[in-house]
Amino acid sequence: MSENPLNNPMPMAIAAFSGDTRDALKLELEKFFQLPASDFASIQQKARLTRDAFTPQAPCRLTLLLDPEADMAAQKETIRVRLQNAAEHQWAEKGIYFAEDDGPGRIGFVFPGQGSQYVQMGADLVNRLPESKAILEQADAAFDKENKLSAIIFPEPAADKEEQGIQEERLRQTDVAQPAIGVVSLVMLSAMARFSVFPDAACGHSYGELTALHAAGRMCREDFFRLSVARGRYMGEAGKQENDPGAMLAVKAPIDDIPRLIAEHGLDIILANRNSPDQGVISGPTSDIEKMQGIFKANHIRAIKLPVAAAFHSRLVASAARPFQDAIQSAIFYHSDIPVYSNTTGRPYPADESSAKSLLGQHLMNPVHFIDDIEAMYADGVDTFIEVGPKTVLTGLIRAILKGRTHTAIALDASSGRRSGVRDLAAALAHLAAAGHSVDLTAWA
């Protein structure tokens, strides 16, 4: 096997243990902690041996993150105490992941949309995955031959706060944000493939539905980037039209109360995003959105105006939907056994190419039923959701939607860039392996 390029500047190791019983697992752990290790290179070698012997199908599984600063004595004590509690069949604490069950259900990949972008997102993985070069080059070619998309995502360090603000604002523009998020999502998708983690189902939030279609094999990378760029540009242009492009408002309230309040005041507003049981987004003409913001305030409901170009997922972006529909026609939709759940219907995309294109073409003007997507995926056996892309927005929504039900929600960018992206990836892989999913841990450096 070729050397894996995922080498953290602060080295990171994954140790993995499995057994038919807790006693067998404890024996493997005891052997590991008793082996001498004079330096971190020795610890890495010890960890590599555990990964080679790990069996994800075993009834008891435990994975452990290690770095040069790790207090292994404290980790050992944490494991000893937690394993004494026979009632705890699954837990995670301080880089330690344990599960004792018959194994998990299916894996669903979820892909974020506009709003999750930030400067330098995914930089650690981009710098370490050789696959990233081809992904960035293809995105740059689709975006603008004169102004590289990659240079906007990964600019030179800002000289001061003013320049930093300019960089962030440029990335926030709709024409840039959407394909930029797509680039980083595809880099993270390639990281998952490197460790043989693949989805059984997929969905996205708004723009992320395009990424989900590509991840499931419904469209090639060339069409994905072409449509990502087209979608972002058409939606950005919709915000520059002479008449009012509209606005959007994020609302923190029981989801079924939001349309009721709108109806009571007769405003030209729709519930554009059904995100979670207590969070939605409304779209409409700017004057009506401002009136609704006052109504929410009077009812002690938190509502925040979103920095977007137009009232997305409403009739006000019809000018963007029409050319996007035309752009879709030249794409090829392939057959796939991986279902992609539609924001519009809450059900998988149709297999028929013409029907699939029609559904995607209407996506810009129709509300995002993210709650329905997650509920349908869960009903169809998906109990592990992996957010493949920047930040953790969807992970939080999924936890709210499935609150009180057994599930696992993991973000590949769990720290949103505040710590090493390689560590975030290691944590995600360790969590998945402990849960019993098939992960090629031997591919970790």
Side-chain angles (χ1 to χ4, degrees), residues 275-404:
N275 288 338
S276 76
D278 63 355
Q279 200 259 310
V281 176
I282 61 173
S283 280
T286 302
S287 60
D288 282 11
I289 287 292
E290 289 172 348
K291 289 176 185 176
M292 201 68 225
Q293 190 170 21
I295 292 166
F296 284 132
K297 184 176 181 180
N299 283 272
H300 307 289
I301 294 172
R302 187 182 179 194
I304 301 172
K305 196 171 182 179
L306 297 179
V308 293
F312 300 149
H313 296 289
S314 77
R315 62 173 180 78
L316 295 178
V317 291
S319 62
R322 285 188 291 271
F324 184 60
Q325 289 165 358
D326 292 339
I328 291 170
Q329 297 313 307
S330 59
I332 298 174
F333 272 56
Y334 299 95
H335 170 76
S336 173
D337 292 328
I338 301 172
V340 176
Y341 290 71
S342 161
N343 287 170
T344 302
T345 65
R347 296 304 307 164
Y349 260 76
D352 174 68
E353 181 177 30
S354 177
S355 299
K357 287 181 176 181
S358 177
L359 183 58
L360 180 61
Q362 295 296 319
H363 185 241
L364 297 186
M365 294 192 298
N366 284 321
V368 172
H369 295 281
F370 189 68
I371 296 174
D372 292 351
D373 282 347
I374 301 306
E375 290 285 6
M377 291 171 77
Y378 191 76
D380 291 342
V382 174
D383 65 3
T384 300
F385 297 84
I386 306 173
E387 185 168 0
V388 184
K391 291 194 174 178
T392 63
V393 174
L394 302 187
T395 301
L397 295 180
I398 291 166
R399 288 171 179 163
I401 294 167
L402 298 177
K403 185 177 181 180

Side-chain angles (χ1 to χ4, degrees), residues 148-207:
K148 290 185 176 181
L149 179 63
S150 58
I152 303 174
I153 306 171
F154 309 110
E156 294 296 323
D160 50 38
K161 288 187 177 181
E162 182 179 359
E163 185 179 353
Q164 181 180 351
I166 292 171
Q167 292 176 349
E168 292 170 351
E169 178 59 27
R170 181 70 185 100
L171 184 60
R172 195 159 38 240
Q173 299 305 303
T174 300
D175 64 319
V176 177
Q178 295 188 14
I181 289 169
V183 168
V184 176
S185 295
L186 259 61
V187 169
M188 293 184 179
L189 188 65
S190 72
M192 289 287 94
R194 176 172 285 273
F195 297 98
S196 300
V197 180
F198 302 101
D200 297 304
C203 80
H205 189 285
S206 190
Y207 163 74

Side-chain angles (χ1 to χ4, degrees), residues 51-270:
R51 297 196 300 273
D52 290 341
F54 180 74
T55 304
Q57 294 80 22
C60 296
R61 305 166 299 274
L62 185 144
T63 56
L64 172 65
L65 298 186
L66 297 159
D67 61 43
E69 309 302 321
D71 185 341
M72 293 182 65
Q75 290 176 318
K76 181 180 178 181
E77 180 61 14
T78 297
I79 293 170
R80 185 191 68 80
V81 172
R82 295 297 295 262
L83 288 182
Q84 283 181 336
N85 187 348
E88 280 194 309
H89 299 291
Q90 189 171 352
W91 53 266
E93 181 180 349
K94 298 177 181 178
I96 308 166
Y97 304 90
F98 171 75
E100 180 183 42
D101 51 37
D102 295 330
R106 304 167 73 212
I107 289 178
F109 280 8
V110 295
F111 297 90
Q114 189 173 345
S116 288
Q117 72 283 341
Y118 63 91
V119 174
Q120 300 295 341
M121 56 182 172
D124 281 350
L125 296 185
V126 167
N127 289 333
R128 287 164 181 78
L129 280 170
E131 301 94 322
S132 300
K133 182 180 180 183
I135 293 171
L136 265 64
E137 286 177 348
Q138 197 162 5
D140 284 342
F143 182 73
D144 187 335
K145 290 181 173 59
E146 301 299 324
N147 300 296
K148 290 185 176 181
L149 179 63
S150 58
I152 303 174
I153 306 171
F154 309 110
E156 294 296 323
D160 50 38
K161 288 187 177 181
E162 182 179 359
E163 185 179 353
Q164 181 180 351
I166 292 171
Q167 292 176 349
E168 292 170 351
E169 178 59 27
R170 181 70 185 100
L171 184 60
R172 195 159 38 240
Q173 299 305 303
T174 300
D175 64 319
V176 177
Q178 295 188 14
I181 289 169
V183 168
V184 176
S185 295
L186 259 61
V187 169
M188 293 184 179
L189 188 65
S190 72
M192 289 287 94
R194 176 172 285 273
F195 297 98
S196 300
V197 180
F198 302 101
D200 297 304
C203 80
H205 189 285
S206 190
Y207 163 74
E209 192 159 299
L210 261 183
T211 325
L213 287 165
H214 169 67
R218 293 302 303 268
M219 69 172 63
C220 69
R221 191 191 293 173
E222 182 180 356
D223 280 341
F224 166 70
F225 278 129
R226 180 177 62 82
L227 292 180
S228 293
V229 170
R231 190 182 192 275
R233 285 184 178 163
Y234 295 142
M235 292 179 74
E237 289 167 2
K240 299 173 184 176
Q241 57 191 353
E242 291 183 7
N243 56 327
D244 176 34
M248 302 183 79
L249 203 65
V251 184
K252 185 73 172 176
I255 197 68
D256 292 330
D257 288 354
I258 298 173
R260 178 180 55 78
L261 274 171
I262 293 171
E264 285 177 1
H265 294 85
L267 298 175
D268 183 16
I269 289 173
I270 67 164

